[in-house]
Amino acid sequence: MVLDGTSPRPASRDALWWQSAVVYQVYPRSFADSDGDGIGDLRGVLAHLDHIAGLGIDVVWLSPVCRSPQADNGYDISDYQDIDPLFGTLADLDALIEAVHERGMRLIMDLVVNHTSDEHPWFVESRRGHLGGKSDWYFWRDARPGSVPGEPGAEPNNWGAAFAGSAWEWCPDRNQYYLHLFSAKQPDLNWENAEVREAVFAMMNWWLDRGVDGFRMDVINFISKDPALPDGEVTATGYGDGMPYFSYGPRVHAYLAEMRRRVFEPRPGTYLTVGEMPGVTPQQAREFTDSKRGQLDMVFQFEHVSLDHDGDKWTQRTVSVNDLRDTLGRWQEALAEEGWNSLYWNNHDQPRVVSRFGDDEGCWFGSATALAIVLHLHRGTPYVYQGEELGMTNAVFDDVTDFRDIESLDYYEQTVVRNQGDPAAALAVLRRKSRDNARTPMQWTSGPGAGFTAGTPWIRVNPNHVWLNAADQRSDPGSVYHLYRQLIGLRHSEPAVARGDFALLDVGNEHVYAFRRRLGSREIRVVANLSAADGTFGRDGLELDQVLLGNRPARERETDRLAPWEARVYLVGT
Ligand code: GLC
């Protein structure tokens, strides 16, 4: 058993090894259940590592497995240095780290330190009041002067929480409010307090000593708040928008620089750090990922996954090929010289891409693979979310009782129960937008429970596992899975994919998303019809027989016409 980080990490080729890497996200609760309790666990991950390694993956990102009351499926941690019994033990995690390393891969953990659980001992101590040593570890404020504490409107400011309601919770024990940007079970840590930062850095060091290879940092741009905590502009929710005061706070760079000094700099070896940053702009992302500052290797931006939001995430907006190209193209350009992009369609918070930007009914295979080809051949580090490599689709829930996610349930409560909205309409919105779309169990086989569990799954299995599953796809060379393998292989074998520059082509084409990657005399050209209509593309000197890969039979490739959702990758030059 490895307790001290002696499990050898894969040797790093260079400090920027992650520029040619592909990351696979495991959401343990929904990945594989080894003990029949209906909830995925670490031994389940261990048992299926070869599926991930077989894809050619370099890094596994494990969503939170630490001790947690599970109010937000583990993004509410009550002990950073222990594993929740739902998922297993520290020994299981050590075994997983070792098995990941044995396969030449690395493992990064989810670092959730903007907030803790309200059941974390730090908060339990803090809420006791002013005498406790940790009284200042969270944001505590008095009620507004002249108001009745605990009554609506008495909150210290008007910010709304991310899920629903006010961002402040009244705490009678302490006769004060505490701030929670997410649920009331997730109080925000006060990073202004140096002891808080030290405790976080010590915990990070403990994990790195244990053998993990870096972190995906949850909403890490929220850790510095404008100390005045001013009211925000009131939105349709009736609450103020606090984002301008906490999404890029005055000390966020200072905190990340300190983290680098206290955690990463003193260590030999190379790690991967990726910061989740809602609301981050390309300019800010460049600052965070500028190699001279060395704060983070890359960030997750949210612009392309907000294109189908109209004002708020629940209101649908139709997304065009031009929208996608404008957004992704702008990010490519902004981080071309300095900084680095992460590339993703999916994660545990986003609906499935084939159902969202593709066509899971009319052209499931074509759209799943065309979207994969487009994403994976951009410049940046691609992330594959479990099941994406199979083209897994949104859930098909027919009742609100099928949903599990705190955000979805809060939305339903707010719109239907409190505001007497139409239940059928709310359900239709959740079917399209709920985070649970990403959280249905991984579809391993066509058998009962999709091979995910021998028990009753914590959330319903998608019935399409009878034809959409890993076992069938691994043995079918023409499957979505094998297309992902090819794309990942291409990133490893073709330097123009990993490090080449990027330029959009055929800008304005309403159907075809086209671009080129170039490194020296090597050029890769991608043409992808992201629509249900036929498309054409500008040949611009292209020899049409030099197709590296595509998602339609080779005999159809020698034309500049693309069938609906057809995508091809050409090699130009030598
Ligand atoms: C991040 C996580 C999300 C979680 C939230 C609060 O956005 O990805 O799942 O609910 O932070 O921790």
Side-chain angles (χ1 to χ4, degrees):
M1 189 192 307
V2 183
L3 290 175
D4 55 1
T6 50
S7 146
R9 292 189 166 89
S12 55
R13 294 178 289 267
D14 63 66
L16 303 180
W17 61 272
W18 36 263
Q19 290 193 343
S20 52
V22 181
V23 184
Y24 188 95
Q25 181 189 357
V26 170
Y27 192 67
R29 172 177 276 271
S30 302
F31 192 65
D33 171 23
S34 72
D35 60 6
D37 67 356
I39 299 175
D41 47 44
L42 290 172
R43 286 181 177 271
V45 182
L46 190 62
H48 287 87
L49 264 192
D50 287 333
H51 171 85
I52 301 174
L55 266 178
I57 291 295
D58 304 277
V59 182
V60 178
W61 150 26
L62 198 61
S63 274
V65 289
C66 289
R67 243 179 222 278
S68 158
Q70 304 288 324
D72 188 15
N73 289 358
Y75 283 90
D76 50 316
I77 293 177
S78 56
D79 184 344
Y80 288 107
Q81 290 173 220
D82 200 4
I83 302 298
D84 196 282
L86 273 183
F87 299 123
T89 62
L90 273 173
D92 293 334
L93 188 75
D94 291 331
L96 182 63
I97 295 173
E98 196 168 1
V100 165
H101 288 169
E102 270 167 18
R103 287 163 178 76
M105 301 188 291
R106 300 171 185 244
L107 185 108
I108 65 171
M109 301 282 284
D110 222 300
L111 182 78
V112 189
V113 289
N114 171 68
H115 45 268
T116 66
S117 162
D118 66 338
E119 297 180 34
H120 194 292
W122 297 345
F123 187 76
V124 172
E125 186 177 336
S126 191
R127 75 183 302 160
R128 274 195 212 118
H130 298 281
L131 297 177
K134 295 194 168 49
S135 65
D136 193 25
W137 279 42
Y138 295 81
F139 289 91
W140 293 100
R141 293 291 185 277
D142 294 334
R144 278 191 201 250
S147 64
V148 181
E151 294 281 303
E155 296 87 4
N157 73 18
N158 69 357
W159 296 357
F163 297 149
S166 165
W168 295 92
E169 182 77 3
W170 175 247
C171 176
D173 294 2
R174 207 176 136 143
N175 235 4
Q176 281 190 312
Y177 285 91
Y178 66 85
L179 177 69
H180 59 88
L181 297 182
F182 293 88
S183 83
K185 297 279 297 170
Q186 295 161 295
D188 280 55
L189 278 168
N190 177 14
W191 277 65
E192 293 290 316
N193 185 326
E195 289 175 17
V196 169
R197 303 199 297 276
E198 278 309 309
V200 169
F201 301 152
M203 175 270 283
M204 292 173 75
N205 276 308
W206 184 87
W207 278 110
L208 293 172
D209 288 346
R210 217 171 175 95
V212 311
D213 301 293
F215 301 97
R216 174 270 187 187
M217 303 182 187
D218 194 65
V219 291
I220 201 68
N221 56 326
F222 291 2
I223 58 178
S224 164
K225 279 96 177 163
D226 177 336
L229 305 177
D231 278 340
E233 209 174 298
V234 177
T235 69
T237 62
Y239 290 98
D241 175 13
M243 282 287 274
Y245 308 108
F246 63 71
S247 70
Y248 187 64
R251 302 191 63 196
V252 63
H253 281 297
Y255 295 156
L256 290 174
E258 187 179 355
M259 179 189 285
R260 171 191 160 157
R261 285 195 305 275
R262 305 281 294 116
V263 179
F264 297 103
E265 246 173 35
R267 295 178 168 271
T270 55
Y271 301 91
L272 172 61
T273 56
V274 48
E276 187 208 23
M277 295 201 168
V280 69
T281 66
Q283 170 60 32
Q284 292 164 358
R286 191 160 54 211
E287 293 166 10
F288 285 119
T289 63
D290 180 339
S291 58
K292 291 186 288 300
R293 293 190 189 217
Q295 289 176 7
L296 294 171
D297 297 328
M298 61 194 96
V299 304
F300 290 130
Q301 57 90 10
F302 278 68
E303 286 189 14
H304 67 302
V305 292
S306 307
L307 287 171
D308 60 355
H309 300 179
D310 199 352
D312 63 75
K313 100 171 227 179
W314 308 110
T315 313
Q316 176 66 8
R317 179 181 168 275
T318 306
V319 179
S320 69
V321 174
N322 280 319
D323 291 333
L324 274 177
R325 179 175 37 225
D326 289 352
T327 304
L328 294 177
R330 203 155 33 76
W331 277 86
Q332 290 286 303
E333 200 182 325
L335 301 185
E337 303 295 331
E338 198 42 81
W340 191 251
N341 266 296
S342 67
L343 308 170
Y344 75 98
W345 290 131
N346 274 121
N347 59 43
H348 63 291
D349 294 331
Q350 302 296 333
R352 293 284 182 178
V353 68
V354 63
S355 306
R356 186 182 195 177
F357 299 139
D359 178 0
D360 62 0
E361 286 181 355
C363 198
W364 166 76
F365 177 82
S367 60
T369 48
L371 288 162
I373 288 171
V374 166
L375 189 87
H376 278 252
L377 294 175
H378 276 69
R379 180 177 159 91
T381 299
Y383 287 70
V384 180
Y385 176 66
Q386 63 185 43
E388 183 179 345
E389 77 281 18
L390 309 176
M392 272 180 65
T393 63
N394 276 355
V396 280
F397 290 164
D398 28 54
D399 195 88
V400 67
T401 55
D402 291 330
F403 290 88
R404 297 287 177 270
D405 176 29
I406 184 172
E407 184 193 52
S408 300
L409 299 176
D410 278 359
Y411 168 79
Y412 194 84
E413 159 85 19
Q414 204 70 24
T415 48
V416 177
V417 182
R418 293 212 194 153
N419 295 329
Q420 279 93 50
D422 173 15
L427 208 55
V429 167
L430 286 181
R431 273 204 208 104
R432 195 196 277 268
K433 302 280 183 162
S434 172
R435 305 195 297 183
D436 280 337
N437 282 310
R439 301 177 181 184
T440 61
M442 178 74 178
Q443 294 169 200
W444 294 108
T445 69
S446 59
F452 162 73
T453 182
T456 307
W458 70 277
I459 189 168
R460 276 177 57 191
V461 170
N462 194 315
N464 66 13
H465 70 276
V466 294
W467 61 267
L468 196 174
N469 62 71
D472 289 353
Q473 291 199 22
R474 278 199 305 256
S475 58
D476 171 5
S479 64
V480 181
Y481 176 88
H482 281 281
L483 196 277
Y484 269 85
R485 280 194 68 206
Q486 281 179 280
L487 287 170
I488 295 164
L490 198 56
R491 178 162 296 267
H492 294 148
S493 65
E494 179 51 62
V497 172
R499 311 236 167 150
D501 65 15
F502 174 96
L504 288 173
L505 301 172
D506 233 345
V507 176
N509 190 322
E510 282 173 23
H511 304 290
V512 178
Y513 190 130
F515 57 92
R516 70 156 170 72
R517 306 290 314 284
R518 194 183 278 163
L519 191 71
S521 60
R522 297 287 277 184
E523 182 178 322
I524 300 282
R525 219 177 282 176
V526 178
V527 290
N529 183 358
L530 301 187
S531 79
D534 283 344
T536 50
F537 58 93
R539 283 180 57 167
D540 194 16
L542 204 58
E543 294 297 331
L544 293 179
D545 55 355
Q546 293 190 322
V547 177
L548 268 181
L549 64 93
N551 63 353
R552 303 271 299 189
R555 64 186 147 71
E556 295 175 15
R557 287 177 187 161
E558 294 194 16
T559 150
D560 56 9
R561 295 186 70 75
L562 294 170
W565 296 104
E566 177 174 5
R568 298 180 205 152
V569 183
Y570 291 98
L571 179 65
V572 184
T574 46

